[in-house]
Amino acid sequence: MRKWTEKTVMHSYPGMVALVTAASGGKVNIMAAGWHSYISYEPPIYGVAIAKERYTHHLIEGSGEFAINFVPEAYAHYIQFSGTKSGAETDKLTEMNAPYTKGRTIGAPILDHAYIAYECKVMDQRTYGDHDWFVGEMTGFYKDDSLFHENGLPRWGRLSIPLYVGRSQYMIAGTENKVLNLYHDNSTKKNV
């Protein structure tokens, strides 16, 4: 039974993990971020929460840029590895053997295996509690169209998406028969 508590209750998972990449001063890094969101469609704006002690935080402040990358199940190990190692101590992209190219509008790495990636230029940075919220103007986009239907939904037979559950566990979204369709045709709806 649900009860009220004064302790912080976290319930943001399962959810997609963004791989945030950044570059500054000849250094590159990648980190896993569970707290991220679209903020605006027009103009396109994206935000991500990053703790100040993270090496990626330092790189984003130095460059004013970052990239958001989403990888399929086959590369879920990128999420796990980049979320458990520090870029201040190791070159995570090299150690993971994760190929990338430099962005077109920013200097941050764009993962070759990302099925979706966004290039972002920082337009605002605010501290909220123990994290900074970086707000980025989205200046470039990458998408593997072969993995999506014309309506934008994933082609589950071709794309399996890792969803982080917590404690280094993932569930995989990837079969159409596991999708719950809550659409109801209003023309057949009765007054209730």
Side-chain angles (χ1 to χ4, degrees):
M1 179 173 181
R2 185 186 73 218
K3 64 180 182 176
W4 185 85
T5 179
E6 291 184 7
K7 294 181 181 179
T8 301
V9 176
M10 299 290 295
H11 184 71
S12 56
Y13 301 115
M16 290 180 63
V17 175
L19 290 169
V20 182
T21 52
S24 180
K27 302 287 186 180
V28 296
N29 196 44
I30 181 172
M31 68 164 275
W35 300 342
H36 56 92
S37 181
Y38 299 99
I39 297 172
S40 171
Y41 181 78
E42 190 58 49
I45 300 172
Y46 206 88
V48 62
I50 301 176
K52 289 184 180 186
E53 66 269 13
R54 301 291 177 235
Y55 186 63
T56 300
H57 187 285
H58 165 75
L59 294 179
I60 294 173
E61 281 191 324
S63 66
E65 306 171 339
F66 62 93
I68 299 291
N69 300 263
F70 295 99
V71 295
E73 173 189 6
Y75 298 96
H77 61 282
Y78 288 6
I79 298 168
Q80 183 62 26
F81 186 86
S82 65
T84 57
K85 302 287 183 185
S86 171
E89 299 167 3
T90 185
D91 180 342
K92 293 189 271 186
L93 289 162
T94 299
E95 197 167 325
M96 289 188 304
N97 195 27
Y100 64 89
T101 56
K102 188 177 109 173
R104 290 186 181 191
T105 66
I106 63 172
I110 305 299
L111 300 175
D112 288 358
H113 297 299
Y115 61 88
I116 294 279
Y118 308 131
E119 296 183 6
C120 300
K121 292 186 180 182
V122 176
M123 54 190 292
D124 193 23
Q125 175 185 349
R126 307 258 176 169
T127 300
Y128 295 99
D130 58 3
H131 281 65
D132 276 5
W133 186 252
F134 288 95
V135 177
E137 172 191 7
M138 300 166 79
T139 57
F141 308 87
Y142 302 82
K143 180 181 180 185
D144 184 343
D145 286 327
S146 71
L147 301 177
F148 295 89
H149 294 286
E150 286 184 27
N151 66 5
L153 294 176
R155 292 183 184 270
W156 292 121
R158 298 181 187 175
L159 178 61
S160 296
I161 300 173
L163 301 177
Y164 185 66
V165 177
R167 307 224 185 260
S168 299
Q169 295 182 37
Y170 300 85
M171 57 188 295
I172 305 302
T175 58
E176 290 191 70
N177 61 358
K178 291 185 181 177
V179 175
L180 179 60
N181 185 353
L182 298 179
Y183 172 77
H184 297 285
D185 184 352
N186 287 332
S187 65
T188 60
K189 194 173 186 179
K190 296 180 180 178
N191 290 335
V192 179

